Amino acid sequence: MTSVIVAPPDRNSMTAAQQERENMRITKTSIILAGIVLIGAAAPVWAQTHPLGDSLGKFDKDGDGKVSLAEWSADRAGLFKKVDANTDGAITLDEAIAYYIKAAPADDPKTQKRIDSVMTADANADGKVTRDELVAVAATDFKTRDADGDGFITVADKR
């Protein structure tokens, strides 16, 4: 097998148009290589996650590395607004299903778990979950997750 070595073009024998094309090719190659280097340098930053992990870290709105009851409850109150599609002040099973199947298929076990986490908040068993019922369940769930009882969910509570 023979190898062919292609020598770079002799710039002295190139026309002005050929030199311009060669300059553009070199510029494009340089830009692409610079982009690859920048993406490689930024990758470790993108890979960083919250100390509590992605699932709990999203609740830490003030970025102090821990989740307070207020942060935890605010998330549930915000969820209530999203799921209560007809804004009548109550979430029905149909509304919960409609909301959660937008993100994942209905037969996905996580979808069912999310629907159940909302609907089990129905304290008076009337088939509807109010904002107060959802926030009350969030407070109970928070206390369960706050293993050391210090009023915050922290990395220590995850152990």
Side-chain angles (χ1 to χ4, degrees):
M1 181 177 200
T2 59
S3 298
V4 177
I5 299 175
V6 178
D10 180 12
R11 289 198 168 262
N12 294 329
S13 65
M14 294 175 133
T15 65
Q18 289 173 324
Q19 286 181 1
E20 183 62 29
R21 279 194 300 273
E22 181 65 11
N23 289 341
M24 289 296 288
R25 185 188 66 76
I26 291 170
T27 301
K28 286 179 185 177
T29 302
S30 298
I31 291 171
I32 290 169
L33 290 173
I36 291 169
V37 168
L38 288 173
I39 289 170
V45 174
W46 290 337
Q48 292 177 356
T49 59
H50 192 280
L52 292 172
D54 292 338
S55 61
L56 283 174
K58 69 181 180 180
F59 297 100
D60 181 18
K61 300 300 182 191
D62 61 8
D64 63 356
K66 54 190 177 182
V67 179
S68 68
L69 176 57
E71 289 169 318
W72 189 262
S73 297
D75 180 77
R76 299 287 91 188
L79 175 66
F80 182 85
K81 288 180 183 179
K82 293 176 188 174
V83 181
D84 182 19
N86 63 3
T87 65
D88 67 349
I91 298 172
T92 63
L93 179 59
D94 290 340
E95 286 174 314
I97 291 170
Y99 177 78
Y100 283 111
I101 62 170
K102 290 177 194 173
D107 61 349
D108 183 332
K110 288 183 179 179
T111 302
Q112 189 58 51
K113 185 177 178 183
R114 291 174 180 135
I115 293 167
D116 291 346
S117 74
V118 170
M119 296 312 297
T120 56
D122 183 13
N124 62 1
D126 65 351
K128 299 176 182 178
V129 177
T130 65
R131 180 188 176 282
D132 291 343
E133 287 174 323
L134 193 60
V135 170
V137 167
T140 302
D141 185 38
F142 179 87
K143 289 176 185 171
T144 301
R145 291 174 184 263
D146 179 18
D148 60 10
D150 67 351
F152 297 97
I153 299 172
T154 62
V155 174
D157 294 318
K158 289 184 66 177
R159 294 187 184 131

